[in-house]
Each structure stands twice: as structure tokens, then as C-alpha cells.
Amino acid sequence: MRYATALLSRWSRREWLSIAVVAVTTAFLLGAALLLLTAATYTGTLSSDLSSSATVSYEQSYDDAVATASADEVVIAVTTVSLPDSETRRVVGIPPDAPRTISGASVAWRAATLPRPPSDGVSGPVSTVQQVEFVGPDNAVSTTVSPHRVEETLFPDSWYVADTDTVQQLGASGALVFDTGSSGAPSAPTSVPLIAALPFLAGGITQVVRTLSVAAFAGGLLILVVVYNVTKMSIRDRTRLIGVARATGASPWRILAILLGRVLSLTFVGVALGYALGVVVTNGVVNAATYAGLPVSLQTTVTPDIARSLLGISAFLLVMGLLAGVLAALPVVRGDPRFDQTHRATGRWPQPIRRFQAVASPTLVDWRAFTPTAATLAVFMLIILLTGSIGGALAPLATTSSGTVVESGAAHPLNSRIDESYATVLRSYGITASPEVIYAQTRGRTPYLVRGANYTAFSSVTDASLVAGTAPQRADQAVIGTDLARTLGLEVGETVTLGGSVTPGVRRVTIVGAFTGSGVTNDQLVVPLETTQPLATGPGTVHLIRTKNASSRLASLQNRSSGLLVTSLSGPSEVQTNATYRFGATVRNLGSSTATETVTVSVGNRTLERDVTLGSDESTRLSFETRFETAGTYELATDGVTRSVTVYRPNTLQLPSEYPTRAPPGSTLVVPATTPNESVVSGVTVTLDGRRATTNDRGGVPIRVPDEPGTYTLRLSKDGYVAEEHTLTVERGAPQRLGGRLTVSPSTGSRLTNPTVTARVANPWGRFLVRNLTLVSPGGTQTRTVELTAGNVSEIELSASEVGLGDDPPPGTYDLRLVVNGTVISTATYRVTGDERVAATLSSRGEYTEGTGIGRAIENVFGNVQLLFVVLVSLAGLSTIGGTTATFAQAVHANRRVIGIYRATGASRRRVLALLAADAVRLAIPAAVLSFGLAAALLWALARVDVLVVFGIRLAVPFTPLLVGVSALGAVCLAVCSAVIAATPFVRFDVGRLLHR
Amino acid sequence: MTGPVLRGDSLTVERGDSTILADVSITVEPDTSLLIQGPSGAGKTTLFNVLGLLSTPTSGSLYVHGDDTSALPERKRAVLRRDAIGFVFQDFQLIPDLTAWDNAALPQDHTRSRDEAWLDTLFDALDILDLKDQYPATLSGGEKQRVAIARALANRPDVVFADEPTGQLDPETAERVLDLLFRVKDQTDTALVVISHDPTLSDQFEETHVLIDGSLRRKSDERIPQ
């Protein structure tokens, strides 16, 4: 075999190990890159109908803006005026030659329309034409203001639209410059896309890729360390071969070239394997996630663009491997040829230093292992710190005290449309809720998050607190997180231009306050809902409702994923003691599949249970029976539905509650004698002012009212019954009205409840009456004529839809009135509760999740983001273990003869391993300190140059004692484990082999 | 102590297809001196490693104080190397980062208790007391050899193996080293096994064996009576 072949070939186990480490590192980097780049492509295809290159920027000087405008730019004068009511408003001046629409900024659902001023005067947010005096910066102008045309334009309705001349007369305070983007010229650093969603995603991905390059650098460092160490070992094993080759005249450069060939082929195999592994593993994870039914919307396909990026990373790693080879090989090709490893002499140090050396210096490895150890541990620290900072940034997304409600079945919170008023529903249940709009925004090239929210609500569901200024009072005011203010270079008092999110538009908001909060909370601009809705979700709709402290309530409901809900309880409202009380519970299955559940109804301090199985959207009525022993008022309750029952002793006489208390002299009343549950009692003695009568077998008896006005007592009595006494005022002119009772059953319901309304009218008088009966309900007014003979009762039952309560009434209180000939004789109230059970329904179909919308967004884009995170972090961990193992293997290999001597002179394997572990600790402690410093300094530097800002979110390294402790301990453990792994083969070898190899 | 210190029985070492040691049997009695001669490539170092428990033979048994070592775990083999056997390696095998004194004390360090008085005696006997704080790099070949001898005797072994102890030394130094070995052997009642290709050595040893092509033959018949 020629010596060159001998130098190139013979790959031992450690070469294959290093190939594995290089492969894993490459796979980790390429896998992460592939995912992120695919996500970028994905958002590109997703938003193809949002693509727009049109931007808008605000210029301080209108004249300058006109002077410098290019052909494809439209300059619109802007000014602020005071109105007579001392309000300030914006006025835009549309030039006469302005295009109707900004080309390239229109989307299918909205044209990017520029408003046109009316031919005479200006248009504004008014309902009638009026004369208004505008006080501008330069002049006051009195003009005719007519209502805006009915059209959606790029500007908010609150702005006045005039022609350029009017604005210039008032004094233009600035200009909005629309760039249609057709020229392709670079836009101004503060220009804002008219539709920001796509630039937001694209810009964010660019930042992610930039951050990824930090990871690539770290991976490159690892590969450098591993390849260097392995090459060093291979060269050491061939010292004699190389020495003899050089002694016999081989050119050093030829030997270097041969050694680099060896390194290159090793690295190449590793990188190639890693490339395949990265692509395959990533696809595998995505496929597995899809197979497992996770909502993965990614298709990892290697397009030419992605392939270019991946090849770039691979090439970088290959170069790092080559560099390692040069570093490892240079010493043996420079200087005199050597045949054996040389040992430097240890100098003589003063006694105290030698004593310190004895403790601090390693026994079996030497300090040359320090640099690669520190480098590898720096990568390890970098990973820990980056993970910590990402965790810190995302911490608010994963809190258990907050949650998010989005639209049923929405694939992404951005696709969700949910009624803003749901927040009111949640609040009525004591849950803190904030309806919010996710508003993508880009300023220059920097994407950042705008949140459409009422700041008070926003701060109630987050930990945001104002540190400067005030909360927004008006639609054109905003508050900014302090981190974002730093990222964008904005201060309180500045006015920023916002583009639309998914609908083209322009808004100007003034930052009136700054707040701080943890993690991403601090990286947002909070703009009032009404400003963001028209350009993101539409009026009255939001993407999501964030809740706080609702978890225990909603999560307990969420656990009941069956979707079975009791919608109402029905049964008599009164019952005798010890009588059987029968009532029903109506159950509906709102879930998407058949479900079985036990319905539990609490009655007083007892509970009744019934199992029920229902298919999707089926409903049934369950019957329950119970008995009450003592009189009183009891509450039936299940699942947020309640009903009260009055329990009375059986032998009680009672007049209806609506029985007349006034009567004209000489009239006749029909007295109905009943028990409280309205069963008639015959043989009851009725007395009134000395008159006496006995009820017939239908429980009634007419009795004549005294002729003298005054106050009398109507008394009903019977042996064995509790008597009833009723005060009757006899007065002239007292009306002979019908008695009426209006009941809504149940009196409280949810949006899913269909209440029944019962109007009961009774004629308590001893004569035939014809009356007009009117029911006033949310459904309108219904009138009918009733004819009732003496003592007769009529009941009219109306369904929920007949009284306007049938069609999902919004939460609130509804009044119903029963009117007879213009006089209200009975009222009833029906309350629709903002519904915990609505939220339960949402949750049963998976719309409620813990965490926040952005967390969901990440989850939806990446499927199971935690799984990928774990995979990536483990791969990174494996790489660092590989790196430190290679380092220690090299160090041990260099001193294998010393280990041989130790073992030859009787040191046990355990002692050798213990010595090595102690050495690892000695090396790792200073290396950990150094590497922590290096990693922290690197992250600090990266943060300074804004590399660690992704989607406007600033990643801050949380230097908590815990993190520092974990990383330090982790580093030392890593070093010790690696040392033991690396040393194991050397303590297994024959001692003779160690000494004489 | 009765019985042989060390007894090898049919020791065979094979590497791939070649046989390095073939059926070697040898007995080392207490307090004797034994020379194993042989030309280069005869398997001397392999025999040295096998007898010193540095390598495991392919087959055959090695008895130390009558106990079969072939079934011993590495932990117990290490204890035997520490307490019963001392080595003087061909290339001294001193640890460059340790002083002469610390190098010699290494076997004692494995038990974590140093017998400094004994080391002092050894250094005195070997006449290297003034070199105790020097590092191997500053020692001459003969000095290194003496440090190596001190280390071999540090734990008062029953047998000392010396592999080509004179191989790298000039004849004068070699003779002095050999004398030292014998003097120390006599002082410490240690058996001495020397492996060497040097044919001039045999007259000083009580027994001489010749290793040729992996086979060991006793040379007692050729022994020159004193």
C-alpha cells in the first residue's frame, strides 16, 4: 500500500463516530432550516392573493413630497384641523388627477380606493349637509360638509376628504405618499405596506433565517471541534508514518493535501448523511404528525430556492470541517519531521503554585483539551440560553391562567372570526375577557405585531402596565410596548402610519403611552379595536377573545368534551310536602359525535343522576322524581341551569296572587279557593263583612262586596286547612279588571334555551267581561280580545319564537308586559345569560385552548411545535455530547500511554475513570465559566444588532440564577459524561496495547 | 511464602492467523532471577505483557501465588499488578508531568497511602535522592531507568519484570543498572525476571530461558556455573 493510501484510508470507529456527530449536527441545522424555509414558502402560497407591493409613507412636508415624488407615486396632502366642538380631525386633500384606486393594492374583497372629494366642499363623517368652519394650521376655512359617499376607501370614515387646494389653504401639515410599487424602487425606511400581512410573514421568516445563521455558526463550531479532535487522533496514530514519509523526502504540502483529503471525505460523508437525514427526519416528523391527526398544514418540499439555502449551510459546514483539518494537520507538516509524540517538559514552579497545580491540574488529560471543551460548552450554553430566551418570550403564550376562544373550526386564529360581543358573555360570568385582533404590520423591513384591543381589557388579561403616558382615549391613539418602542425607535408622542393587515388601508395613530409586560406582550403596539377591525376582521368581529382566570371554569367544561349540555329544567314551580315532584331536564348534544354522560341535578342538598346517550345534535328530555319533606324554597340546579320550587304544606288555602285588592261597592267577586298548587278545595267557608258563603265542588263561590267603602278582610277557612286572609279595599270607581299573570318558564336561560310564555287571565268578577288583552314582548305587540264569564280563567301559552325569544337572543334582560285595556296587569322578565355553556360548547369542539392566539398560530403552522422543539433540542444536545466526547477522546488518546502506566502499576479501571471524571470537572469548571461568558456576550452582541428580533419579538436572555445554575451544572455533567464515554474504550483495552501501540 | 510466585501454563497468544506465543510454560520461584533471551520478533514483549497481567493470553493459564488469574476480573488483576508485580519498561514509561519522586510513588498512590520511608530507602539505594524533584525530561537515560526501578519496587512486589532494561543504555550504564537490579533484588527478596536480547547477560542469572518463534526453551544446560 502506498503511504498516501495509508494516510487516506483506514477509518476506525472514531472516524465513524465523528461522521455520526457531523451528520447529526448537519441534520439538526438542515431540518430546522427546511422547516422554517418551508413555512416561508407556505405563507407565500397561502397569501398569494394578498401579494401587494404598494406602500405608503408619511412625509413631514407636502411640498418636498410633491417635489421628490416619482411618476408612480401619489401624493396626498394631510392636515389636522380643529372643529367648532374643539375636536381635532384629519383632512386629506385628494389631487384632481389621483387614480381611483392604487393599483396593486386591491384584493378580491376590497379595492384600494382613494376617496373623491365632493364637487363642492368636503365630505366627512356627518349625516346631513352642513356648513362647518375648519381651523387649520395656517388659515380657517368655512366649507360645506356633506356625508361621505357610500364606499369603502383606504382612509377611515372619521377623516374629512377635500381637494388639495382646500388642504393647502388650511395649511398642509404633511403628506401621505402612496407608492404603487410598480417601479420596484426601494421604499423609504418608514414606508408601510398597504396590505401588511404578507410582508409581515416574509419579513419575519427572513429574521428567523438570520437567527438560524447563529445556529449554523454554532453547528459549524461543533463540527470544527469534532473534526479537529478526530483528525488529531488519526494523525497521532500515524505520527511515525508521517515522520518517515517526511524524513524520506515527501513534501509537507503533499502530506497536508493528503490529510485534508482525509478530513474532507470524512466531513463530506457526514454532511451528506446529515443532509439526507435532515430532510428525511423532518419529512418523517411532519408525516407522522399528519398521520396522528395533528393540524399540520406544511408540506416539506425541497424547492430549488430551499435547496440553495440548504446547500449553502452544508457548504459552510464543509468549510468548517476543512478548517479543522488544517488546524489539526499543520503542526505535523511544519518544522522538523517527528517520529514520536513529544512531551513538553513541565517547568519548575514555586512551591505554592505547584501545590495549587496538584489540586487544579488534571491527571490524565492535559490543558490542551480546554479550548475545544470551552468551544463545545459555549455551543451548549448558547443552546440553553437561546432556549431560555425563546421560552421567556413565549412564556406569556403558555400561561395556564389565560386562554383563547376562537371561531369553531378555524384553521388559524387569523382565519377566525368571532363576535366581539362574546366577550360580554364571558364577562357576565365573571371571566376577564379581551376581544382582540391580530394585526400584521411592517415598518420598512421590520415586521411587528399590532394588536387591536381595548387597552384596559388587554392589560386585564396580560401583565401589561403603563410606564409612560396614558391609555388610548380615542380611535387614533395607541400604546406601545417598551421593547417594540426600542426595536422600532419610537417614542411616546410620535404618530405612526399603519397599513392594512389583510385589507388595504391607511391609518395614523399617535402613541400616547408605553407599557411593559413579560415576553411578547412587551413587543406589541396596542391600537383600539375599532381602528383595526375594518382592515383585519370587519366591524364587530375579532380574531379571538383572550380570557384570564377562566381556565378552571372553562377547562373543567373543556374536559367534558362530550358536548352534552342540559339546556333547561322544567316542572311545576310549587309542590306539596311529601308529594312526588316530577321534573324534566332537557339535554342536547352539541358535540360532533355521539356521547354518553351522567346528568346530575342537585336538589337542595341532594343530587339526582341519570345517564344519557345522544347522537350529535340530538336532544331528549330526562324525567326526574323527588320528594320534599319540609316546606320552603328549593333550588334545582345542573350545569348552570337553575329552577326554584316552592314546597308548601298541603292544607293551605290561597287566593291567586293577582286577586283584586280593590273593588267597587256592591259588586260581586267570585272567590276561588285553592291550595298553592291551584287544586280546588270545596266546602271552604268564605266570609266578607259578615257575609258567609261556601265554595262549590269547583272551588268557587260568588260573594257580594259591601256597599260601604272601607277596608275589609276576605277570609277563607276550612277545618284542617290553614286559613287565608285577603285585604279588600272597597272604593267607588275601583276598576273591575281582569286578573292576569304572565310567566316565562324558565325565567333565566341561555342563548340555547327556548322559554315558554304563559299569559293567564282570570275574571274574578261576578259578571261577563270583554277585554282587549295585549302582550308586549321582544317579538312585538300582540293584541286579542278575550271574553270571560264570571269567575272564569283562561290561559294562553306562547312559544319562544312567538314572543321574539326564539332566535338565539343576545345576552341581556327582556321585559314582557301583559296589558288589558291600556293598563299593565302583569310583567315578567326573561334573562339570557352570557353563557358559560356557550363557552363550554366552544370548548367541547376544541375552540377554547389554553395559551394565546399566537401560541395557537405557531402550533397550527408547525403542527406539534413542542414535538419539533424537543426533536431539535435533543439533536442539538446530541451534537454537543458528540463534540465534548470527541474532545475528551482526543485528550485521553493523547495520554493513553499515561493511562497504560497507571493501569500497569495497578490502578483499577474504576480509579482511572474516577481520575478522568475529576479531570473533566477540573477542565469543565473554568471552561463552563468561560463558555457562559462567551455565549452570553455573543447573545448580548446579537441582541445589540437586533439579530435576535423575530416578528418584532425581542428575545431577551433571562439570566436567572436557575438558568445559570442549570447551564453550569449541565455543562459539568456533559463534560463528565463525555469524558467517561470517551475513556471507556481506553480502560477496556489491554494495558499492553496502550503502552506499546 | 511457599510455592512459585508465578506460573504460566501453556500460554498461547494468537493475533489473527499468526501465533506469537506457542504453548509457553514457565515458573518463577520466589527470590530467584530469571532471564528470558530471544532475538527480535520472538515474542518477548508479548510474553512480558502476558506474564505481567498486561495482556490476556488467547489460551493457557497464569497462576499468581497458585491462583489462576485467567478467570479474574480486571479489578482483581489490577490489584495483582499493584501489589505483586513491578515493571521496568523498555522505554521507562515515566509520566512526564510528574516528578521522579511522584513517578516512583505512583503504585502507592493507587492505594492512597504513601510509604515515604520505603521510597526514601529505595531512592537512597538507587542513589537518586537528589533527583527526586526533577521531571523525566531533565533526567538522563540511566537516571530514568533508576526511577523506573524505584517505581517497580514501590509496593514491595514479589516479582519484578524488566523489559530490555539495558537496551537503551551504554554498556557502562547498563552494567550499573543491572547491578542495581540485582542488589535491590537481594535486599528486597524479590524475584527478578529480565527480558532481553542481550546474549551477554545470562551468566548473572540463576535461570535462563530462550524464546524463539514463540516457543520457550530452558537454557539451564548451557548455564555457566559460577
Side-chain angles (χ1 to χ4, degrees):
Chain A
M1 197 193 299
R2 298 166 73 118
Y3 83 93
T5 321
L7 274 179
L8 268 174
S9 61
R10 295 233 177 100
W11 287 10
S12 66
R13 217 168 5 180
R14 65 167 171 263
E15 266 82 15
W16 293 111
L17 178 77
S18 72
I19 285 173
V21 173
V22 171
V24 167
T25 311
T26 313
F28 154 66
L29 282 173
L30 295 188
L34 179 60
L35 269 178
L36 293 164
L37 295 170
T38 310
T41 324
Y42 161 75
T43 53
T45 55
L46 175 83
S47 314
S48 60
D49 49 0
L50 288 176
S51 71
S52 152
S53 51
T55 60
V56 62
S57 60
Y58 184 81
E59 301 294 337
Q60 297 294 338
S61 161
Y62 172 71
D63 293 333
D64 289 355
V66 170
T68 57
S70 64
D72 58 351
E73 285 180 342
V74 181
V75 181
I76 288 170
V78 183
T79 194
T80 310
V81 295
S82 299
L83 296 186
D85 57 5
S86 76
E87 280 281 313
T88 56
R89 289 290 167 90
R90 280 202 172 75
V91 183
V92 286
I94 311 291
D97 58 345
R100 277 296 285 138
T101 59
I102 301 291
S103 60
S106 298
V107 288
W109 52 91
R110 178 77 58 83
T113 310
L114 282 174
R116 270 177 307 168
S119 49
D120 174 31
V122 304
S123 71
V126 295
S127 48
T128 53
V129 177
Q130 48 197 264
Q131 194 72 17
V132 177
E133 184 174 52
F134 288 154
V135 181
D138 295 350
N139 298 301
V141 172
S142 182
T143 181
T144 311
V145 178
S146 49
H148 282 310
R149 284 168 211 270
V150 184
E151 63 177 0
E152 298 283 359
T153 71
L154 288 168
F155 302 122
D157 279 345
S158 59
W159 291 9
Y160 288 83
V161 178
D163 53 29
T164 314
D165 291 344
T166 309
V167 172
Q168 280 190 299
Q169 208 178 334
L170 288 161
S173 58
L176 283 169
V177 181
F178 290 88
D179 182 347
T180 55
S182 49
S183 72
S187 45
T190 55
S191 70
V192 172
L194 286 179
I195 309 167
L198 192 58
F200 171 79
L201 290 167
I205 294 296
T206 309
Q207 291 179 325
V208 167
V209 170
R210 198 176 52 182
T211 309
L212 192 72
S213 59
V214 177
F217 169 75
L221 193 64
L222 271 180
I223 288 184
L224 185 83
V225 168
V226 171
V227 173
Y228 171 82
N229 284 310
V230 169
T231 311
K232 202 84 183 153
M233 285 190 267
S234 313
I235 290 175
R236 191 177 298 120
D237 283 346
R238 292 162 180 76
T239 308
R240 189 154 296 171
L241 174 60
I242 295 168
V244 172
R246 285 193 58 203
T248 54
S251 128
W253 300 114
R254 176 162 159 72
I255 289 179
L256 182 66
I258 294 168
L259 289 173
L260 288 188
R262 181 183 175 89
V263 168
L264 206 59
S265 48
L266 189 117
T267 318
F268 182 79
V269 172
V271 169
L273 264 177
Y275 189 99
L277 204 66
V279 175
V280 168
V281 164
T282 311
N283 272 318
V285 168
V286 169
N287 289 340
T290 312
Y291 182 77
L294 295 167
V296 182
S297 31
L298 282 183
Q299 280 300 316
T300 45
T301 330
V302 182
T303 63
D305 270 352
I306 292 178
R308 252 194 300 283
S309 305
L310 297 189
L311 286 174
I313 296 177
S314 307
F316 170 71
L317 298 179
L318 219 53
V319 167
M320 291 306 268
L322 202 63
L323 179 64
V326 172
L327 287 178
L330 264 188
V332 294
V333 298
R334 287 203 307 205
D336 296 333
R338 280 190 294 272
F339 299 91
D340 228 326
Q341 26 180 156
T342 50
H343 275 286
R344 79 224 124 88
T346 308
R348 303 193 77 166
W349 296 91
Q351 190 62 28
I353 296 181
R354 273 166 57 197
R355 194 165 299 151
F356 170 76
Q357 274 186 313
V359 179
S361 63
T363 319
L364 296 180
V365 297
D366 59 53
W367 281 107
R368 275 175 290 184
F370 180 79
T371 310
T373 305
T376 326
L377 290 184
V379 173
F380 175 75
M381 296 284 185
L382 198 65
I383 290 166
I384 287 202
L385 293 182
L386 261 181
T387 310
S389 60
I390 292 169
L394 301 185
L397 306 183
T399 56
T400 48
S401 69
S402 66
T404 311
V405 179
V406 297
E407 186 196 353
S408 162
H412 189 288
L414 285 171
N415 297 342
S416 159
R417 293 291 181 277
I418 183 167
D419 200 321
E420 187 187 330
S421 65
Y422 266 127
T424 322
V425 175
L426 293 167
R427 285 190 197 119
S428 73
Y429 269 82
I431 294 169
T432 312
S434 171
E436 294 181 0
V437 168
I438 302 170
Y439 198 88
Q441 202 49 222
T442 306
R443 182 180 163 91
R445 292 251 160 83
T446 314
Y448 67 99
L449 274 174
V450 173
R451 193 164 285 262
N454 171 341
Y455 178 75
T456 314
F458 174 79
S459 62
S460 70
V461 295
T462 60
D463 59 351
S465 61
L466 276 181
V467 290
T470 58
Q473 307 293 321
R474 293 167 32 157
D476 62 350
Q477 294 181 335
V479 281
I480 192 166
T482 48
D483 269 358
L484 184 65
R486 195 147 69 90
T487 305
L488 296 181
L490 291 172
E491 283 172 19
V492 173
E494 284 190 63
T495 301
V496 290
T497 308
L498 298 181
S501 181
V502 292
T503 300
V506 186
R507 299 292 183 270
R508 295 271 294 163
V509 293
T510 304
I511 298 169
V512 294
F515 63 91
T516 57
S518 61
V520 288
T521 306
N522 219 3
D523 294 288
Q524 301 181 23
L525 180 70
V526 178
V527 176
L529 262 186
E530 66 259 40
T531 306
T532 53
Q533 279 167 333
L535 302 182
T537 52
T541 355
V542 292
H543 285 125
L544 51 96
I545 293 172
R546 275 213 278 174
T547 60
K548 191 180 181 186
N549 299 331
S551 295
S552 56
R553 296 182 86 139
L554 291 180
S556 70
L557 295 161
Q558 187 189 14
N559 288 339
R560 315 177 4 165
S561 51
S562 71
L564 281 187
L565 287 175
V566 177
T567 54
S568 68
L569 289 170
S570 57
S573 57
E574 289 161 319
V575 66
Q576 290 183 6
T577 51
N578 293 316
T580 303
Y581 179 69
R582 292 191 178 82
F583 66 96
T586 307
V587 187
R588 256 182 87 179
N589 182 1
L590 294 149
S592 46
S593 57
T594 302
T596 301
E597 203 177 298
T598 303
V599 172
T600 307
V601 184
S602 69
V603 182
N605 50 13
R606 272 172 291 170
T607 54
L608 304 173
E609 289 185 347
R610 197 74 84 244
D611 288 338
V612 62
T613 300
L614 286 176
S616 179
D617 279 328
E618 284 180 359
S619 91
T620 188
R621 185 177 183 277
L622 302 175
S623 304
F624 291 88
E625 274 186 18
T626 188
R627 229 173 248 276
F628 300 96
E629 271 126 36
T630 48
T633 304
Y634 293 82
E635 182 142 289
L636 310 178
T638 180
D639 214 13
V641 185
T642 59
R643 183 176 177 82
S644 65
V645 187
T646 306
V647 180
Y648 57 91
R649 279 168 292 146
N651 298 342
T652 303
L653 293 171
Q654 195 174 27
L655 279 171
S657 57
E658 68 276 14
Y659 200 70
T661 52
R662 295 158 71 217
S667 59
T668 302
L669 277 171
V670 177
V671 180
T674 63
T675 57
N677 69 337
E678 292 174 358
S679 59
V680 297
V681 185
S682 58
V684 172
T685 304
V686 179
T687 56
L688 178 67
D689 188 33
R691 288 171 209 273
R692 176 185 288 267
T694 305
T695 55
N696 60 18
D697 53 2
R698 288 194 296 152
V701 63
I703 194 159
R704 201 178 127 79
V705 174
D707 293 328
E708 279 301 309
T711 303
Y712 299 87
T713 300
L714 178 67
R715 184 182 159 83
L716 288 77
S717 61
K718 186 180 177 178
D719 276 353
Y721 283 81
V722 177
E724 161 87 331
E725 288 188 350
H726 181 79
T727 304
L728 186 71
T729 305
V730 176
E731 60 184 36
R732 283 181 216 288
Q736 290 187 315
R737 292 212 179 102
L738 294 179
R741 198 196 303 160
L742 193 60
T743 48
V744 186
S745 178
S747 60
T748 304
S750 70
R751 302 176 78 147
L752 304 165
T753 308
N754 280 321
T756 311
V757 175
T758 310
R760 181 184 187 274
V761 280
N763 177 5
W765 307 102
R767 68 193 187 100
F768 179 75
L769 291 176
V770 179
R771 292 288 186 270
N772 283 329
L773 188 68
T774 305
L775 176 68
V776 182
S777 71
T781 303
Q782 299 167 50
T783 303
R784 65 177 77 176
T785 305
V786 290
E787 300 175 356
L788 284 173
T789 54
N792 236 336
V793 174
S794 173
E795 268 192 3
I796 303 159
E797 200 164 282
L798 295 157
S799 68
S801 55
E802 287 175 279
V803 295
L805 293 173
D807 190 22
D808 192 15
T813 304
Y814 297 89
D815 289 322
L816 296 96
R817 296 193 300 277
L818 192 60
V819 184
V820 175
N821 286 10
T823 305
V824 176
I825 59 165
S826 182
T827 61
T829 304
Y830 177 64
R831 200 160 69 85
V832 178
T833 56
D835 209 347
E836 191 165 358
R837 291 171 302 143
V838 173
T841 314
L842 292 171
S843 65
S844 75
R845 283 185 175 166
E847 287 83 352
Y848 172 80
T849 43
E850 300 222 322
T852 58
I854 299 169
R856 276 179 70 96
I858 295 168
E859 189 120 356
N860 279 291
V861 172
F862 292 114
N864 196 332
V865 72
Q866 288 98 331
L867 176 72
L868 284 177
F869 203 63
V870 165
V871 168
L872 291 181
V873 168
S874 337
L875 283 177
L878 274 180
S879 304
T880 35
I881 289 180
T884 34
T885 306
T887 302
F888 280 102
Q890 200 272 124
V892 172
H893 183 261
N895 289 284
R896 62 196 187 285
R897 205 172 60 91
V898 176
I899 293 173
I901 296 169
Y902 265 77
R903 291 189 57 206
T905 55
S908 66
R909 280 174 180 171
R910 190 178 299 178
R911 175 160 156 79
V912 171
L913 284 180
L915 285 171
L916 275 169
D919 284 357
V921 171
R922 288 193 186 102
L923 278 174
I925 288 173
V929 171
L930 180 69
S931 59
F932 189 87
L934 278 176
L938 178 65
L939 286 181
W940 181 81
L942 291 175
R944 290 283 292 184
V945 296
D946 285 350
V947 169
L948 295 183
V949 177
V950 176
F951 286 109
I953 299 164
R954 188 173 280 275
L955 300 180
V957 182
F959 288 107
T960 59
L962 178 76
L963 190 74
V964 174
V966 162
S967 45
L969 200 67
V972 173
C973 287
L974 188 68
V976 170
C977 291
S978 303
V980 170
I981 293 172
T984 303
F986 294 96
V987 298
R988 286 192 181 283
F989 283 157
D990 258 6
V991 186
R993 212 175 137 196
L994 283 177
L995 283 173
H996 299 289
R997 191 163 144 173
Chain B
M1 203 175 289
T2 57
V5 177
L6 201 100
R7 186 165 63 83
D9 193 11
S10 306
L11 297 168
T12 303
V13 171
E14 289 167 357
R15 294 265 158 78
D17 292 335
S18 60
T19 302
I20 314 286
L21 285 185
D23 209 20
V24 171
S25 295
I26 189 171
T27 304
V28 180
E29 297 292 344
D31 198 17
T32 57
S33 59
L34 198 149
L35 175 69
I36 296 169
Q37 284 185 324
S40 296
K44 291 194 303 293
T45 299
T46 305
L47 181 60
F48 176 89
N49 285 346
V50 168
L51 292 178
L53 294 179
L54 297 176
S55 298
T56 314
T58 313
S59 67
S61 300
L62 183 73
Y63 300 87
V64 176
H65 293 314
D67 297 327
D68 189 355
T69 62
S70 50
L72 285 182
E74 171 61 25
R75 181 169 49 84
K76 296 208 168 143
R77 288 163 66 89
V79 170
L80 286 178
R81 285 200 297 269
R82 188 186 71 201
D83 296 339
I85 302 170
F87 296 101
V88 180
F89 293 101
Q90 184 175 4
D91 41 5
F92 321 127
Q93 302 282 24
L94 298 180
I95 295 172
D97 295 336
L98 300 180
T99 59
W101 184 263
D102 289 340
N103 261 297
L106 188 63
Q108 296 183 347
D109 286 349
H110 299 325
T111 62
R112 290 157 203 228
S113 66
R114 275 194 186 182
D115 184 351
E116 304 252 356
W118 172 243
L119 284 179
D120 210 64
T121 310
L122 285 174
F123 269 57
D124 192 28
L126 292 163
D127 199 19
I128 47 173
L129 259 179
D130 53 334
L131 304 176
K132 59 187 276 191
D133 286 335
Q134 295 213 18
Y135 286 89
T138 60
L139 298 177
S140 71
E143 288 164 346
K144 282 185 197 167
Q145 187 70 289
R146 277 182 275 172
V147 175
I149 293 169
R151 184 178 65 191
L153 294 162
N155 273 345
R156 295 187 175 89
D158 301 311
V159 58
V160 169
F161 287 96
D163 187 6
E164 303 281 9
T166 57
Q168 302 195 357
L169 305 176
D170 58 88
E172 204 174 313
T173 316
E175 192 156 328
R176 283 225 321 271
V177 164
L178 213 60
D179 282 347
L180 269 176
L181 271 177
F182 272 97
R183 207 169 77 217
V184 172
K185 169 197 164 293
D186 292 340
Q187 280 173 6
T188 57
D189 301 337
T190 308
L192 176 68
V193 178
V194 171
I195 294 175
S196 177
H197 69 280
D198 189 346
T200 63
L201 293 180
S202 63
D203 52 348
Q204 302 180 41
F205 289 84
E206 290 167 42
E207 264 180 62
T208 303
H209 295 254
V210 179
L211 188 67
I212 293 171
D213 290 340
S215 295
L216 194 67
R217 270 189 303 116
R218 191 172 166 134
K219 205 182 168 189
S220 53
D221 46 334
E222 295 166 28
R223 192 175 146 201
I224 300 160
Q226 297 199 323

